[in-house]
Amino acid sequence: MSEGLKIFKIGGGIIDDDVQLQRFLRELAQVPGRKILVHGGGKGASQMLRDLGQEPQMVQGRRITDAATLDIVTMFYAGKTNKQLVAGLQAAGVNALGLSGTDGNAIRAVRRPVRDIDYGFVGDLPADAVNVPLLRHLLETGLLPVFCAITHDGAGQLLNTNADTIASVLACALAPHYAVELHYCFEKDGVLRDVDDDASVIPQITAAEYQQLKAAGIIAAGMVPKLDNAFAALEAGVERVVIEHALRINEPVKTVLCAS
């Protein structure tokens, strides 16, 4: 039987609140076994851009990344945020290693082609994006890799890449070698049947049930692309995908997505 691996993606709402972030890191430290953490940057990069006189540009939740913006998000994601997370994990007794996709050629991306929108220096991830031997080596030494949302193209160009996508691609790439669970952690206890009722968590959703919930409009808006990616990961061999509250990852209330 394959050894277990849990990949956690932390949302910006938790990153932006230092008290909640430290609570999450202490919770994560209590999770046994092999782990990877993936993070974005929260609102800090956008505020830094404004402080420098630039207005952030977003399209459907995706950041338009020109050269100046790339400089800022690289400093914020790969620098300040990544090292704060690593320091917090070290304080919680976990030997963590902060990484971007450039380090050890861990994640190689391709620049998104210009179609209706020019996203600038944004990276998409091909099927062979992940340096699996490197990740397996790090995991086997007992380190907890902490990935920010910066990748590279192999020719010297940094690229800003969606953190949800990084988490999913890491899970799919490592699924042949480990029993992988992918955890999306944010400010709700899971997928809600009623967005106005935090107690209406749906405990389990199969692929067929997801289509029914989506058709009924119960799952809509920003949750749709997240769950589309989640079920794609299940189809690619990831054993389980979990949607849960970042501060209650060791508690039973959560939504578990299953292929069938």
Side-chain angles (χ1 to χ4, degrees), residues 44-134:
S46 293
Q47 186 57 52
M48 187 179 292
L49 282 164
R50 293 189 184 97
D51 291 344
L52 294 172
Q54 299 182 57
E55 188 60 31
Q57 298 182 62
M58 309 288 287
V59 176
Q60 296 178 342
R62 299 289 188 260
R63 186 184 298 277
I64 303 293
T65 307
D66 61 14
T69 301
L70 181 64
D71 285 346
I72 296 301
V73 298
T74 300
M75 287 188 287
F76 207 86
Y77 298 173
K80 182 176 186 291
T81 302
N82 187 264
K83 299 317 169 191
Q84 283 181 327
L85 290 168
V86 171
L89 285 166
Q90 300 290 1
V94 177
N95 195 9
L97 178 68
L99 297 167
S100 71
T102 65
D103 299 300
N105 193 30
I107 305 172
R108 186 178 294 195
V110 295
R111 183 170 173 175
R112 181 172 299 172
V114 178
R115 296 193 177 95
D116 296 337
I117 299 168
D118 183 356
Y119 282 92
F121 294 101
V122 166
D124 292 326
L125 301 181
D128 61 349
V130 177
N131 185 341
V132 172
L134 172 70

Side-chain angles (χ1 to χ4, degrees), residues 203-251:
Q204 181 172 301
I205 304 174
T206 65
E209 289 167 342
Y210 171 50
Q211 295 304 322
Q212 294 169 1
L213 291 165
K214 190 162 57 169
I218 294 171
I219 295 176
M223 287 302 294
V224 170
K226 188 181 292 289
L227 293 192
D228 283 346
N229 286 335
F231 280 104
L234 289 170
E235 291 177 8
V238 174
E239 290 209 350
R240 196 166 82 136
V241 180
V242 179
I243 314 291
E244 62 192 343
H245 198 295
L247 304 185
R248 291 189 276 276
I249 58 177
N250 292 304
E251 297 179 17

